[in-house]
Amino acid sequence: MTSREQHDRMANAIRFLSMDAVEKAQSGHPGLPMGCADIATVLFTRFLKYDPKAPHWPDRDRFILSAGHGSMLLYSLLHLTGYEDMTIDQIKHFRQLGSKTAGHPEYGHATGIETTTGPLGQGLANSVGFALGERIMNAAFGNDLVNHYTYVLAGDGCLMEGVSQEAIALAGHLKLNKLIVFWDNNNISIDGPVSLADNTDQVARFQASGWNASHIDGTDPEAIAYAIEAARHSDKPTMIACKTTIGFGAPTKAGTNKAHGSPLGADEIAGARKFFNWDSPPFEIPADILDAWHTAGQAGVKARTDWEGRLAKAETKLKAEFERRIAGKLPSNFDAVIADYKKKLAADKPKVATRKSSEMALEVINGAVPETIGGSADLTGSNNTKTSQTKNITPDDYGQRYVHYGIREHGMAAALNGLTLHGGLIAYGGTFMCFSDYARPSMRLASLMGIRSIFVMTHDSIGLGEDGPTHQPVEHLAALRAIPNHNVFRPADAVETAECWQIALESEKTPSTLALTRQNLPTVRTEFSAKNLSSQGGYELAAASGEAAVTIFASGSEVEIALAARELLEKHGHPTRVVSMPCFELFDKQSDDYRKKTIGNAPIKMAIEAGIRQGWDHLIGSDGIFIGMTGFGASGTIEQLYPHFGITADAAAKAAEARLHGK
Ligand SMILES: Cc1ncc(C[n+]2csc(CCOP(=O)(O)OP(=O)(O)O)c2C)c(N)n1
């Protein structure tokens, strides 16, 4: 049992590492680590189950610093508890290029960082996925292998962001009782007191969303410990509103926004040293305190080795399956399953919407890959995300595989990231592509983190028809393609859809968006190819009858139009080839030779896509012909809309011929 004095000195070690690192960097946020040091110390010395020597231990408790600007709190904890890569040198190089101590915690930069935070609210919203992932894995593998808590530290900013309501409502609904959130209730944000902009009764809000919530003194170790203990035995998720003082200990800046986002300055730090009676120079921790922290960091070794013992003794098949899933590897028969399915498609040649093709592919995938967890933001029947294997996950049954996320696109995308990061699961979720805007902040973070979240975006163009321009994506393909490390797939038929799903599942370090149609499309890939042609991003689908005068590039639903335009042009004596382009990002990764060959030398290059032109010029050149959208869509039938916006085979052929005839 730590004495109060010992606790205080351990907490002060966090405070001084943070103040001094921010001061040295002349950049960063000292206020949160100083205010929340007591919460962190109690959690990391008395409750959190972790082992710095085995940072990826699957049954560790997760700690998520949602208020990512307080990154020095996390870096200090990782250093003090003995994570090997978080050396004092890293702390001294806080925020410097190439260091692990990036401005905000970045997943993968240092061990012990569970998710990337910084955009406020994201960590809190990810945590719902983490906590749900724990329950799903627990249902599959039992208490012996999966039984841990998810802790979150969130600030006023996290709670003000809209995504927080989506997250807490979902967590409350799903009764994720092993989710425990500390709210750093310091009443300060950047502009000044929180009361400038917010007067929400946060405790009442969480309670109304199905949580336990109560106020405590966030500087009293016993109150913190008592609240955590109670939370661990709760049947609901818990929010602990911790009254703290931002920049606690800084003589004049404590309790003010001056302690938020800039170094405290030498005088304040000297004052804090006096206040805390801390005479160690910067970056030096008294030996007894460092020992105490290391001891705390080793307390989890027994739990970890016990767990390893249980895993070793687990039934052979269960153990192998657990290890496969945690490693993120697909079942060994996966490729064969997809190949069989593609053979069947080439024979059947279905004429269905790609959203339906996606459902058909998922029916096969979900049968072969038990770790997929599906879901939709209240558009299940439209997104076609549910298959025979995926029954509803409920608070009474976490052993199922489908999440009704409610009308919460952003919360869903953030939860998908959390499910993915938890490990052992492959999560996908659907909505209309237009509403990818609502999910985008989390989609971007999936890309930045390099994780396998899968976003199913149906109704991918004006082809959705009568719902009109509010629902018709126009710029969304370009906007999603603009995100680095994000594969945007727009398959043209059932075969490409199966191929794109296969790539999405195999892309362990890249998230995927599947853009899928509402309208039916013919099978354009009528011959079986064992090779996944979509994995090249683009490929010649139809050759020209002679030396090509025209190359038409198209994606998704417009491939059918490109093929019809080719027919017309060929009939008129203009040899024309069609290149299907299901994924720009993968095409751009092909060899120069392959790209040159696929782009070809036809004098006329044209692209057809029912979206904006942006992005296509790198294939067709700025003088290429683009058949697509230049503004918003309109409400009408699909039969009216394509001709209305000039996206037809006839219009495409005419445009090419006009060019060929020099007009
Ligand atoms: C989505 C998003 N918007 C804005 C910011 C910029 N920002 C960083 S911290 C902060 C204020 C946060 O206030 P609070 O959570 O109370 O943190 P504290 O000042 O108490 O540390 C803001 C606006 C951000 N990081 N993320």
Side-chain angles (χ1 to χ4, degrees), residues 543-617:
S545 58
E547 192 178 335
V550 182
T551 296
I552 309 180
F553 302 85
S555 80
S557 40
E558 285 68 66
V559 171
E560 178 188 13
I561 295 173
L563 289 170
R566 174 182 172 277
E567 291 285 304
L568 291 172
L569 288 164
E570 287 274 350
K571 228 184 261 169
H572 297 174
H574 309 301
T576 299
R577 54 196 284 274
V578 170
V579 173
S580 179
M581 257 305 148
C583 182
F584 277 22
E585 295 77 13
L586 292 179
F587 184 70
D588 293 346
K589 285 194 181 134
Q590 303 306 306
S591 67
D592 277 358
D593 276 0
Y594 179 78
R595 279 189 296 120
K596 273 193 191 128
K597 192 179 84 190
T598 306
I599 292 169
N601 297 317
I604 308 284
K605 294 194 185 73
M606 168 187 286
I608 314 181
E609 186 171 79
I612 59 167
R613 176 172 183 138
Q614 197 171 317
W616 280 99
D617 284 13

Side-chain angles (χ1 to χ4, degrees), residues 295-439:
T295 305
Q298 280 159 25
V301 170
K302 183 172 176 340
R304 196 250 305 163
T305 50
D306 286 354
W307 179 88
E308 282 168 355
R310 292 196 298 275
L311 179 66
K313 278 200 223 111
E315 199 258 316
T316 319
K317 258 175 115 179
L318 186 86
K319 176 174 182 280
E321 181 66 355
F322 182 80
E323 288 176 335
R324 177 189 73 75
R325 285 177 55 167
I326 289 293
K329 299 298 169 205
L330 293 167
S332 53
N333 66 342
F334 180 67
D335 284 350
V337 167
I338 297 288
D340 282 353
Y341 175 56
K342 275 170 59 180
K343 269 184 207 148
K344 184 173 166 341
L345 288 175
D348 293 355
K349 303 183 188 23
K351 184 173 173 148
V352 291
T354 48
R355 62 178 170 144
K356 178 71 185 169
S357 303
S358 171
E359 180 189 328
M360 288 156 51
L362 280 172
E363 184 67 35
V364 173
I365 290 164
N366 290 342
V369 185
E371 61 267 39
T372 51
I373 302 296
S376 164
D378 201 46
L379 289 167
T380 294
S382 300
N383 299 148
N384 298 58
T385 36
K386 198 162 190 176
T387 65
S388 66
Q389 305 87 353
T390 58
K391 307 272 184 302
N392 293 348
I393 290 170
T394 69
D396 300 322
D397 189 358
Y398 296 112
Q400 300 300 338
R401 294 169 58 189
Y402 197 82
V403 184
H404 286 279
Y405 285 101
I407 306 113
R408 302 185 182 109
E409 295 81 8
H410 195 177
M412 172 177 74
L416 292 178
N417 291 350
L419 284 163
T420 306
L421 286 161
H422 177 275
L425 302 167
I426 299 176
Y428 66 87
T431 184
F432 288 155
M433 196 164 105
C434 208
F435 307 141
S436 61
D437 286 340
Y438 277 41

Side-chain angles (χ1 to χ4, degrees), residues 80-107:
L80 291 167
T81 53
Y83 283 77
E84 277 165 8
D85 56 348
M86 193 53 75
T87 60
I88 195 70
D89 222 46
Q90 290 294 339
I91 303 281
K92 287 181 188 165
H93 287 87
F94 177 50
R95 291 191 159 220
Q96 307 307 304
L97 185 63
S99 74
K100 289 175 185 288
T101 45
H104 296 83
E106 291 186 43
Y107 173 72

Side-chain angles (χ1 to χ4, degrees), residues 74 127 139 168 270 284 288 335 366-367 404 410 505 516 577 622 628 662:
L74 182 56
S127 75
I168 69 170
E284 277 181 33
D288 63 317
D335 284 350
N366 290 342
H404 286 279
H410 195 177
L505 290 170
L516 304 167
R577 54 196 284 274
S622 55

Side-chain angles (χ1 to χ4, degrees), residues 39 54 190 225 233 268 296 303 378 396 418 432 444 479 630 663:
I39 303 165
I190 291 182
H233 294 99
E268 287 286 310
D378 201 46
D396 300 322
F432 288 155
R444 178 176 189 271
T630 52
K663 283 183 211 154

Side-chain angles (χ1 to χ4, degrees), residues 29 32 69 104 118-120 155-158 161 184 186 188-190 194 246 260:
H29 302 252
L32 182 147
H69 57 280
H104 296 83
L120 296 170
D156 299 301
C158 293
E161 290 292 348
D184 175 23
N186 65 15
I188 290 292
S189 63
I190 291 182
V194 167
I246 192 168
H260 173 92

Side-chain angles (χ1 to χ4, degrees), residues 496-519:
E496 281 194 4
T497 305
E499 290 182 341
C500 292
W501 263 111
Q502 181 179 20
I503 304 162
L505 290 170
E506 287 171 349
S507 299
E508 290 174 27
K509 294 193 182 313
T510 304
S512 298
T513 290
L514 286 112
L516 304 167
T517 67
R518 175 186 185 228
Q519 72 269 33

